[in-house]
Amino acid sequence: MRFRILGPLEVAGDPGPASAGAHTPGPPKLRAVLGTLLARADEVVPVSALMDELWPDGPPRTAVTTLHVYVSQIRKALSAAGPRDGRELLETRRPGYVMHTAPGELDLAEFEDLRGQGRASLGKGDHAGAAVLLRRAEDLWRGPFLSGTPYGPLLASTAARLEEARLDAVEHRVRAELGLGRGPELVTELRSLTTEHPLREELQALLITALHRAGRLAEALHAYAQVRRRLVDELGAEPGARLRALHRELLDAQDEPLPRGAAALTGPGRAVVAAVRPAAGLPAPDGELVGRERELALVEEALTAPRPGGWTAVTGPPGSGKTAVAVAAARRVADAFPDGVLFLALRPAHGPVLAPGEAAARLLRQAGVRVAAGSEPLEALSALTAARRILIVLDDAPSVAHVRPLLPTAPGSTALVTGRLLPHGSAGLRSVPLGVLGREAAAELLAAAGPSAAAEIARLCGRLPLALRAAALQLSARPHWSGETLVARLGDEATRLDALRIGELDVRGRLMSAYEEVPDAARGAFRLLGVLPPGAFRLRTAAAVLDLTTGAAAPLMECLVDHHLLTATAPDTYMFPELPRVLAAERLGAEEPEGSARAATTRMCEAYADSYGRPDAPPVPAGDVDAVARTVRTAHSAGLWSAAVRLADALTTALEGTASWGVWEETHTLALDAARRWGNDPAHARMLRKLADLAWQRRDVERSAELYGRAARRAEEAGQADERARSLAGLAELRLDDGRVDRATELLLRGALDAASAAGPAGRYEARRVEALMAIETGAAGAAVAPLTECLALASELGDRRREAYARRALRAAEGPQGPVEVRPGVWRLRRDRRRAVR
């Protein structure tokens, strides 16, 4: 069977007389349902999402029934197209439906696979292979996504995302073909594309490059002038950094005469040296620099008092604003370098990283220096910086070794370098690292969103400067959006990076440049770590996810830290920055086989369960609660029932201590369902009792009583005396709290205490605690001493300091003056009002 959605919807049947041919549903709403399920193939699409897709203005009263009819009709069509298994392709799975497809059946999946392979080949320098793969990906498109099918909100957003993906494939294919020397052949196609997408700067840059490589320099300059005029007229903005850098390359390519006043150094192996042009090629400021005054001051200090042979580097993760800080600092100190400031991007917008010799030649041309035939550009650059006071700014350096030949060594001149892989401690280096922006600076950039929305947008952007600027530009370019609109768009991790691309600002592209530089093994580790929840994780957890020993995993972790895709927060402890975490999850889905991702998820859940769900494990730290809670959700979704139960058990004390009632209810309800599916009656009884404890905390007496009763019955059926004692003690306490002393006595004496005789220390503790409360409530405080003394011993046996401290306090209160009663650890009740509890 074959499904095509990159164009009009088509369903082609299995080969054979009974099923061959087209089986595409005719009615538009049937096509909309099937198209939505195929667009999210192998994912559960909730019923609510399908209803929104079919009836964007609000569903009719019969919407659920109508949707069921549509699904039934689609199943019939699939059954006709694939008599053997077609009907099984569409599965009902709460809370909706999932459409299963096999490799080679869905053109969208094939497109994404070919696009990913093509981009990877291009990243490795295989231009021919990349061109073939990306051309095949483009050929799968037969028209606009699901053309002829009515769009609702989900299909509309998917269409926008896929159009972006299609153009991305086109751009990468053109880049590959340019690398094969096909510039002249691409000009006509690129003229058509730029006419269709006149404000897409990447396509304009590719056209200019193709013209230049075809030897049509004047036309390339004219094309730049046209796009600049259009951007200024329509958007009020200058071209972006890539187009500006390309323009400078075009100007440098012109055979300019030496400026007047040039001094000459001649002789064997020497260059002809001209006077350095003072302002050279610093890029224009890219907006106001916010929140970087401290870092600018450090760079300025380093540049104005350079040591001989010393140099300065601005380092940091992709998108942290290294270039902007370096350019701003260079402008501030320009007066200290009377012979000029030179700027060179070591990674041009198109093409490979400049080799040191080529970089030196470009710097010399920028300075007005023509290298004589047979001369060595690196030697000429060294002679120039020795004779003059020059600042060289080298942007986006791949390594220290790459820039070392370009660095001035004589007094007077120095270099300012930006890059991700410039380790502190390199010879002569003074490093200024950039991190994320502070909260106040982020709020200033996002002021248009309003304080509350700005704080949430900043969190979703990880306070990364490039992402914050993209978010701010989205709000500026779309005045009909509110801050809450942008929060909603960024809230979906599957499309967050799409929402952070506007104009030349492309957060995904910047992160991908770092990702593609990582060695293959570390890149694979990065993808698999995408299964982890937000927050810190230990090396042993990472090793479990990667199915490696800690010794084998550690170098991969440190490699990712070096490339700023992970952060080391402590020895053997790491954390994903927010947006690299989103990229990791995206790459996991795009590049890893489904089985590999599922296996990593299973190992992650089991690792968390082993860390926190052991009987001897320490309590879950407050900082890990969110991560463990998210893992409960993941384990349940993956059908890992044992892990879900163990993790929920581990969370109970931490959730109670932090009064996280909502998380408690969600995680333990999932664990209750997991225990039921697992068929584990003791765990089932335990989860019922813990949910009853939660209802008691919330003062929902009726629900608490109902859950305690169910827990006691389930525990009795499972032969779990300990859980039965604890549940009956909880029921007795509820009745005591209601003033029904007789009923409480009956439950306690005939139930909880009886069960406690065969129970473990936890069950006996709860029964004796309630016995002590009953003595206090009935005015016989002295009778509470014996059960509380036993509680103290039982808490010590359990190793539970919280219960032990409670028993000591209760003993002192029972023997002292009357006052409020501490009914449970940290929960007090006034004796005069049995119905009221306060924390």
Side-chain angles (χ1 to χ4, degrees):
M1 200 177 306
R2 176 81 174 166
F3 301 100
R4 296 184 179 90
I5 57 177
L6 302 181
L9 175 64
E10 288 185 6
V11 180
D14 291 337
S19 55
H23 295 268
T24 309
K29 288 196 179 295
L30 285 186
R31 295 201 307 274
V33 173
L34 181 55
T36 303
L37 292 167
L38 288 168
R40 295 289 181 93
D42 301 305
E43 298 178 22
V44 176
V45 181
V47 167
S48 58
L50 290 170
M51 291 172 65
D52 288 343
E53 194 68 22
L54 291 171
W55 299 286
D57 298 326
R61 184 174 55 82
T62 59
V64 173
T65 303
T66 303
L67 178 59
H68 287 165
V69 171
Y70 291 162
V71 169
S72 176
Q73 291 176 336
I74 290 171
R75 283 195 170 116
K76 289 179 182 178
L78 294 175
S79 180
R84 287 179 299 173
D85 57 3
R87 193 173 185 86
E88 298 173 2
L89 297 180
L90 180 50
E91 176 191 354
T92 302
R93 186 188 299 173
R94 294 178 59 190
Y97 302 94
V98 58
M99 184 73 185
H100 298 288
T101 59
E105 286 187 344
L106 178 62
D107 59 354
L108 172 57
E110 189 176 353
F111 167 75
E112 293 286 12
D113 183 52
L114 288 168
R115 183 170 75 107
Q117 291 181 49
R119 287 175 57 124
S121 295
L122 186 60
K124 295 173 183 176
D126 180 8
H127 294 86
V132 170
L133 289 165
L134 291 164
R135 178 69 75 177
R136 285 173 56 196
E138 288 179 61
D139 289 344
L140 291 169
W141 286 81
R142 298 166 293 109
F145 168 72
L146 284 176
S147 53
T149 296
Y151 286 177
L154 193 150
L155 288 180
S157 64
T158 303
R161 177 178 66 82
L162 290 179
E163 176 61 14
E164 187 65 33
R166 185 186 70 81
L167 287 173
D168 175 83
V170 170
E171 289 167 354
H172 280 81
R173 189 261 304 163
V174 169
R175 209 171 293 146
E177 293 187 339
L178 282 172
L180 296 171
R182 298 173 184 167
E185 304 164 30
L186 293 166
V187 170
T188 301
E189 179 188 2
L190 284 166
R191 286 200 189 279
S192 175
L193 286 167
T194 52
T195 300
E196 186 180 353
H197 305 279
L199 299 180
R200 193 173 179 93
E201 294 193 29
E202 181 65 20
L203 289 174
Q204 297 285 358
L206 291 169
L207 171 61
I208 292 168
T209 302
L211 288 166
H212 185 199
R213 295 189 183 180
R216 297 154 69 174
L217 181 58
E219 290 180 65
L221 286 165
H222 179 66
Y224 174 83
Q226 281 187 312
V227 69
R228 179 184 179 278
R229 184 163 54 251
R230 183 179 291 113
L231 290 169
V232 170
D233 291 347
E234 296 187 24
L235 301 181
E238 288 289 335
R242 288 189 179 184
L243 278 174
R244 295 199 304 268
L246 191 55
H247 184 225
R248 286 196 300 273
E249 289 183 36
L250 297 176
L251 295 176
D252 287 344
Q254 298 180 96
D255 189 16
E256 296 180 339
L258 290 175
R260 285 195 304 171
L265 294 174
T266 59
R270 304 298 296 273
V272 177
V273 181
V276 179
R277 292 182 293 226
L282 277 180
D286 197 3
E288 184 181 358
L289 202 59
V290 176
R292 293 301 193 196
E293 282 304 319
R294 186 185 70 83
E295 291 88 348
L296 273 172
L298 290 173
V299 177
E300 185 176 358
E301 177 189 352
L303 294 176
T304 51
R307 294 167 293 169
W311 55 294
T312 305
V314 180
T315 65
S320 57
K322 298 181 290 295
T323 303
V325 168
V327 169
R331 289 188 180 282
R332 286 190 180 189
V333 303
D335 290 345
F337 298 93
D339 294 315
V341 178
L342 306 178
F343 177 92
L344 181 66
L346 292 173
R347 301 175 196 261
H350 308 284
V353 177
L354 299 178
E358 174 61 20
R362 293 195 183 198
L363 287 167
L364 290 167
R365 285 200 301 272
Q366 190 180 141
V369 175
R370 186 173 302 152
V371 181
S375 297
E376 171 55 55
L378 288 169
E379 291 182 8
L381 181 64
S382 179
L384 177 65
T385 55
R388 311 207 177 236
R389 295 190 63 188
I390 294 174
L391 171 62
I392 297 178
V393 183
L394 300 171
D395 188 40
D396 205 5
S399 67
V400 172
H402 197 91
V403 298
R404 181 74 70 186
L406 300 168
L407 301 177
T409 56
S413 295
T414 191
L416 174 59
V417 184
T418 74
R420 294 187 290 269
L421 299 173
L422 305 173
H424 181 73
S426 299
L429 170 62
R430 181 169 178 180
S431 183
V432 179
L434 300 183
V436 299
L437 281 189
R439 287 181 171 80
E440 291 184 3
E444 182 179 345
L445 279 173
L446 298 170
S452 177
E456 182 61 10
I457 292 169
R459 184 189 71 79
L460 294 169
C461 291
R463 288 190 278 124
L464 187 70
L466 179 65
L468 294 171
R469 288 176 55 217
L473 186 57
Q474 288 280 22
L475 291 172
S476 175
R478 295 173 172 80
H480 54 287
W481 281 17
S482 66
E484 288 70 21
T485 304
L486 185 54
V487 167
R489 291 177 182 264
L490 295 175
D492 184 354
E493 290 187 4
T495 57
R496 186 182 303 175
L497 296 178
D498 292 324
L500 291 174
R501 177 173 181 175
I502 179 170
E504 66 175 311
L505 302 181
D506 181 5
V507 174
R508 179 190 282 107
R510 195 69 59 86
L511 294 174
M512 283 295 295
S513 67
Y515 167 74
E516 288 168 351
E517 286 180 15
V518 174
D520 286 347
R523 201 157 59 235
F526 175 77
R527 292 193 296 270
L528 290 180
L529 292 174
V531 304
L532 290 167
F537 58 91
R538 275 71 172 179
L539 175 61
R540 64 177 180 270
T541 304
V545 170
L546 301 177
D547 201 18
L548 297 172
T549 65
T550 54
L556 298 176
M557 298 299 100
E558 294 304 323
C559 178
L560 292 173
V561 170
D562 291 343
H563 283 79
H564 299 279
L565 294 174
L566 276 185
T567 300
T569 59
D572 290 344
T573 304
Y574 304 92
M575 177 183 286
F576 267 120
E578 179 64 16
L579 295 179
R581 180 184 65 79
V582 174
L583 180 71
E586 179 184 278
R587 293 295 90 203
L588 177 72
E591 298 182 41
E592 288 290 329
E594 183 180 351
S596 173
R598 179 173 174 79
T601 300
T602 300
R603 293 192 297 268
M604 181 266 292
C605 293
E606 294 295 347
Y608 271 97
D610 289 343
S611 294
Y612 297 113
R614 307 186 317 269
D616 60 338
V620 177
D624 288 358
V625 166
D626 287 344
V628 179
R630 182 161 173 159
T631 308
V632 173
R633 301 179 194 114
T634 302
H636 184 273
S637 297
L640 305 172
W641 312 130
S642 170
V645 169
R646 291 164 63 198
L647 287 166
D649 273 330
L651 274 173
T652 307
T653 300
L655 296 174
E656 183 178 10
T658 56
S660 302
W661 308 143
V663 179
W664 185 345
E665 180 164 20
E666 180 192 10
T667 54
H668 286 62
T669 300
L670 289 173
L672 175 64
D673 182 65
R676 179 182 62 79
R677 292 169 182 260
W678 184 16
N680 188 316
D681 287 341
H684 195 155
R686 190 168 64 254
M687 289 304 132
L688 285 169
R689 191 258 308 159
K690 290 187 175 191
L691 287 168
D693 288 342
L694 171 61
W696 183 91
Q697 292 278 7
R698 288 173 152 176
R699 308 313 299 152
D700 187 346
V701 175
E702 290 185 7
R703 176 162 172 74
S704 182
E706 186 259 334
L707 288 167
Y708 276 135
R710 288 171 58 193
R713 291 189 295 275
R714 177 68 67 170
E716 184 174 18
E717 292 168 2
Q720 293 290 306
D722 198 70
E723 278 302 323
R724 183 166 182 268
R726 297 181 74 170
S727 300
L728 290 173
L731 268 176
E733 185 177 1
L734 282 176
R735 298 304 168 235
L736 183 64
D737 196 32
D738 286 342
R740 298 165 61 184
V741 177
D742 291 345
R743 179 58 177 151
T745 303
E746 180 184 356
L747 284 166
L748 186 65
L749 296 179
R750 298 183 184 177
L753 290 174
D754 179 58
S757 63
R764 296 202 305 275
Y765 179 98
E766 289 301 312
R768 298 293 271 168
R769 178 184 66 81
V770 177
E771 183 182 2
L773 282 179
M774 184 173 294
I776 293 170
E777 288 291 324
T778 55
V785 173
L788 287 173
T789 301
E790 185 176 348
C791 282
L792 186 61
L794 290 167
S796 178
E797 181 182 345
L798 287 164
D800 190 327
R801 294 184 178 180
R802 187 164 177 258
R803 284 174 167 162
E804 189 175 346
Y806 164 78
R808 291 186 189 281
R809 291 193 301 271
L811 268 172
R812 287 195 296 270
E815 295 170 347
Q818 293 194 359
V821 179
E822 188 179 9
V823 293
R824 293 190 185 188
V827 182
W828 299 78
R829 185 177 66 233
L830 299 175
R831 292 176 193 253
R832 288 172 297 177
D833 184 356
R834 295 173 178 167
R835 293 168 298 175
R836 185 180 177 194
V838 294
R839 271 200 176 277

